[in-house]
Amino acid sequence: MKKSVYVLVMSLMLVSFLAACGSKEKETAASGEKKGGEFVFASSGLYPPFNYSDNNKLVGFDVEIGTAIAEELGMEPKPVTNPWQTIIAALQADKFHAIIGSMAITDERLKEVNFTEPYYESGAQVFVSEDNNSIKSVDDLKDKRIGVVVSSTFEENAKEYTDDVKTYDSDVTALQDLMVKGRLDAVITDQLVGMYAIKENDLKIKKVGEPIYLDQMGIAIRKEDEKLLEDVNKALETLKENGKYGEISEKYFGEDISK
């Protein structure tokens, strides 16, 4: 009998101790000191140097920015990939917390998701093969065959110049097709992406003129996750102030692209 009472008392003490620990963890999380858990963020994984696979590991500027944000939030970073065509739908289905994949902020997308403050800005650039001298400006794109990434802002832009638009899953694939005779006349893609692809893949292509327009890139978050939006914006601001953003940017572009 005494043994049973002893076991009961010890069990009650253990439950009380665990409950106190749990309350402490919740309290710490609520205070924002350490939220714990994973911060899952998505990109296409096909957009070097921003997000791409290297030896079966997801790397790039977006991935490092997402990782740094997770650390500021006191969470474990978990970068994942999702096809670009369905990435907003997947976010809305709560498959991940955010899209950190160089997504341009547009009025159409703002109807579906919220965006953080822009974390960088870049332009829509026309690229052609090195031996193409017939396209010297955007005015020369009329009725030409233009390659773009599917479901990108560049796709809609290309349709302003021609009905002959060919879509690709990756910018690098589109840019490589410029060197195959008869495939494409031009590609419209992000200026930084195109210049990086030329350097890394030794592509015999060139840019034409200045960017057509500038896009502001934001981190997409579900409409209902207002607190997360606020926290990610604060984390971004901190990364810019403490120099971490600049350090990541210098690694990929040789300059701070937030400025």
Side-chain angles (χ1 to χ4, degrees), residues 8-24:
L8 178 61
V9 170
M10 292 302 293
S11 297
L12 288 171
M13 288 177 66
L14 179 60
V15 169
S16 299
F17 174 75
L18 291 173
C21 289
S23 299
K24 184 68 177 175

Side-chain angles (χ1 to χ4, degrees), residues 209-226:
E210 295 299 312
I212 303 170
Y213 61 85
L214 291 176
D215 272 328
Q216 291 186 317
M217 311 301 174
I219 295 170
I221 292 172
R222 294 193 312 153
K223 289 280 189 184
E224 49 267 58
D225 293 338
E226 293 180 5

Side-chain angles (χ1 to χ4, degrees), residues 41-256:
F41 58 96
S43 66
S44 69
L46 298 169
Y47 199 55
F50 292 96
N51 51 82
Y52 60 103
S53 180
D54 185 19
N55 292 322
N56 295 317
K57 182 181 178 183
L58 193 58
V59 297
F61 175 79
D62 285 330
V63 177
E64 292 200 31
I65 290 294
T67 298
I69 287 171
E71 290 169 355
E72 284 297 321
L73 297 176
M75 301 174 78
E76 191 71 27
K78 185 179 179 181
V80 298
T81 60
N82 193 94
W84 194 249
Q85 303 95 301
T86 59
I87 200 165
I88 287 181
L91 174 66
Q92 291 172 325
D94 207 17
K95 291 188 176 179
F96 31 81
H97 295 107
I99 299 170
I100 307 182
S102 294
M103 180 169 275
I105 302 170
T106 67
D107 291 337
E108 283 302 306
R109 287 170 177 163
L110 280 167
K111 293 175 185 176
E112 300 183 273
V113 296
N114 284 331
F115 280 98
T116 60
E117 292 298 314
Y119 68 108
Y120 79 90
E121 191 177 79
S122 189
Q125 182 70 54
V126 177
F127 291 90
V128 300
S129 63
E130 278 189 351
D131 58 2
N132 185 332
N133 296 312
S134 64
I135 298 176
K136 297 178 180 177
S137 73
V138 292
D139 297 329
D140 298 322
L141 293 178
K142 185 172 173 57
D143 299 328
K144 295 292 194 292
R145 176 172 287 186
I146 303 174
V148 293
V149 168
V150 64
S151 299
S152 66
T153 54
F154 310 121
E155 183 176 354
E156 290 305 309
N157 189 242
K159 289 175 181 176
E160 295 177 15
Y161 303 100
T162 182
D163 293 327
D164 193 357
V165 177
K166 186 174 181 182
T167 58
Y168 293 82
D169 288 330
S170 138
D171 292 271
V172 173
T173 307
L175 291 165
Q176 286 173 333
D177 261 7
L178 283 174
M179 298 186 298
V180 181
K181 193 170 181 61
R183 287 268 179 91
L184 291 174
D185 296 304
V187 166
I188 298 177
T189 188
D190 179 87
Q191 182 184 36
L192 293 171
V193 169
M195 297 307 293
Y196 179 85
I198 290 171
K199 181 172 77 73
E200 291 297 306
N201 299 282
D202 194 29
L203 301 181
K204 305 301 181 187
I205 63 177
K206 61 187 178 182
K207 65 177 184 176
V208 173
E210 295 299 312
I212 303 170
Y213 61 85
L214 291 176
D215 272 328
Q216 291 186 317
M217 311 301 174
I219 295 170
I221 292 172
R222 294 193 312 153
K223 289 280 189 184
E224 49 267 58
D225 293 338
E226 293 180 5
K227 181 63 168 64
L228 179 61
L229 179 69
E230 182 184 331
D231 289 345
V232 172
N233 265 323
K234 286 179 181 175
L236 266 175
E237 188 177 341
T238 299
L239 293 174
K240 290 176 182 178
E241 288 174 352
N242 66 18
K244 182 65 177 176
Y245 181 106
E247 180 185 316
I248 295 170
S249 185
E250 286 278 350
K251 173 180 174 180
Y252 287 95
F253 307 106
E255 62 181 274
D256 186 343

